[in-house]
């Protein structure tokens, strides 16, 4: 638990309850992520900026091992008002007309501005290239109909007007528009085709991530097809089925990395 010591327009100061005996030995970033119910990445940013101190005033580091009865003070900086601005970032344009633009998003590019990624996003690039984008998703995500994770490259369609946005959204919702993914898998998959069914929900420790769970999650189904074998690696085509999450979001009972999954 945490208590709010002070709140103003500039920042919020939180004090944690003392570290319990069973929590002793945890890394500070892991402990605080659970206490504050935020992602570990966000906590690490707070630690890097010196916004977490112990009762004696010592600034904490992410790898500090917490001790029983320790209390921490956390300063939450004020939120930043986001509004995407045009940026001259090159785009790999596959197709474009008066209604839509289709681009190949590179690995490492975030789709739209968010905490920790305020510039250099696909939206910033689109705003520079296009005179108009649909406004359905507001000023932070103009034209964005679907998404890809930062570390996933692939084709994305953006809408230049609200009519096109609605049409694309309906096609995705009705499964008329289908998305598939190519992945390199560690290991030699024996079956040429298969179907993986599991449950997926928010990761209990890293709330911005999804995780496979034993119960209580949403159904996630991914179909795969083997394309090539390369020694200890396999190239597969993946497609989310029914209400499944996209493969790069962990929609199967294996651990995912940008280079494939591990059994």
């Amino acid at each position: 638990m945490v208590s709010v010591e002070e709140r103003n327009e500039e920042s919020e100061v939180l004090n944690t309850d003392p570290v319990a005996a069973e929590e002793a030995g945890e890394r500070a970033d892991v402990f605080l992520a659970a206490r504050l119910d935020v992602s570990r990445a966000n906590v690490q940013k707070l630690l890097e900026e010196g916004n977490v101190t112990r009762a004696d005033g010592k600034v904490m580091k992410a790898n500090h091992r917490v001790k029983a009865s320790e209390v921490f003070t956390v300063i939450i900086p004020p939120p930043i008002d986001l509004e995407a601005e045009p940026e001259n970032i090159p785009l790999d344009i596959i197709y474009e007309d008066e209604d839509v633009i289709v681009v190949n998003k590179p690995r490492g590019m975030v789709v739209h501005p968010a905490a920790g990624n305020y510039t250099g996003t696909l939206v910033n690039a689109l705003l520079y290239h296009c005179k108009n984008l649909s406004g359905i998703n507001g000023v932070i995500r103009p034209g964005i109909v679907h998404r890809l994770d930062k570390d996933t490259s692939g084709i994305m369609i953006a809408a230049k007007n609200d009519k096109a946005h609605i049409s694309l959204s309906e096609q995705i919702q009705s499964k008329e528009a289908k998305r598939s993914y190519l992945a390199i898998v560690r290991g030699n998959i024996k079956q040429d085709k298969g179907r993986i069914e599991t449950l997926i929900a928010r990761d209990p420790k890293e709330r911005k991530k999804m995780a496979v769970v034993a119960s209580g999650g949403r159904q996630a189904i991914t179909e795969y097809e083997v394309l090539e074998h390369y020694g200890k690696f396999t190239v597969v085509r993946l497609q989310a089925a029914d209400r499944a999450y996209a493969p790069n979001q962990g929609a199967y009972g294996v651990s995912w990395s940008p280079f494939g999954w591990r059994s």
Side-chain angles (χ1 to χ4, degrees), residues 126-142:
L126 288 171
L127 285 171
Y128 184 89
H129 177 82
C130 304
K131 292 183 178 179
N132 297 297
L133 291 170
S134 71
I136 290 177
N137 273 338
V139 297
I140 298 303
R141 294 182 292 175

Side-chain angles (χ1 to χ4, degrees), residues 13 44 51 54 71 112 136 174 177-178 213 241:
V13 180
Q44 288 174 340
N51 287 322
R54 202 165 51 189
V71 174
H112 60 80
I136 290 177
S174 65
K178 297 184 182 297
V213 296

Side-chain angles (χ1 to χ4, degrees), residues 1-59:
M1 296 292 290
V2 295
S3 60
V4 180
E5 180 179 283
E6 178 185 350
R7 184 194 298 269
N8 54 50
E9 294 182 357
E10 295 185 352
S11 63
E12 182 176 350
V13 180
L14 307 174
N15 289 321
T16 68
D17 285 347
V19 176
E22 60 271 19
E23 296 171 317
E26 291 184 355
R27 283 173 53 106
D29 54 354
V30 174
F31 168 78
L32 290 168
R35 285 295 183 94
L36 301 175
D37 194 23
V38 297
S39 73
R40 188 173 173 184
N42 281 345
V43 169
Q44 288 174 340
K45 184 173 177 60
L46 290 172
L47 288 159
E48 289 171 2
E49 295 176 348
N51 287 322
V52 180
T53 57
R54 202 165 51 189
D56 60 6
K58 182 178 180 180
V59 176

Side-chain angles (χ1 to χ4, degrees), residues 145-146 157 164-181 239-242 244:
V145 182
H146 62 107
I157 305 176
H165 192 127
I166 292 170
S167 176
L168 289 169
S169 295
E170 289 176 346
Q171 291 176 57
I172 293 172
Q173 185 68 28
S174 65
K175 307 300 181 185
E176 184 179 350
K178 297 184 182 297
R179 290 172 285 179
S180 62
Y181 302 78
Q239 183 168 312
D242 301 329

Side-chain angles (χ1 to χ4, degrees), residues 93-103 129-133 157-161 164-165 168:
I93 300 173
I94 308 300
Y95 173 82
E96 183 177 8
D97 60 25
E98 62 184 10
D99 295 312
V100 302
I101 180 171
V102 181
V103 300
H129 177 82
C130 304
K131 292 183 178 179
N132 297 297
L133 291 170
I157 305 176
K160 291 186 174 182
N161 53 65
H165 192 127
L168 289 169

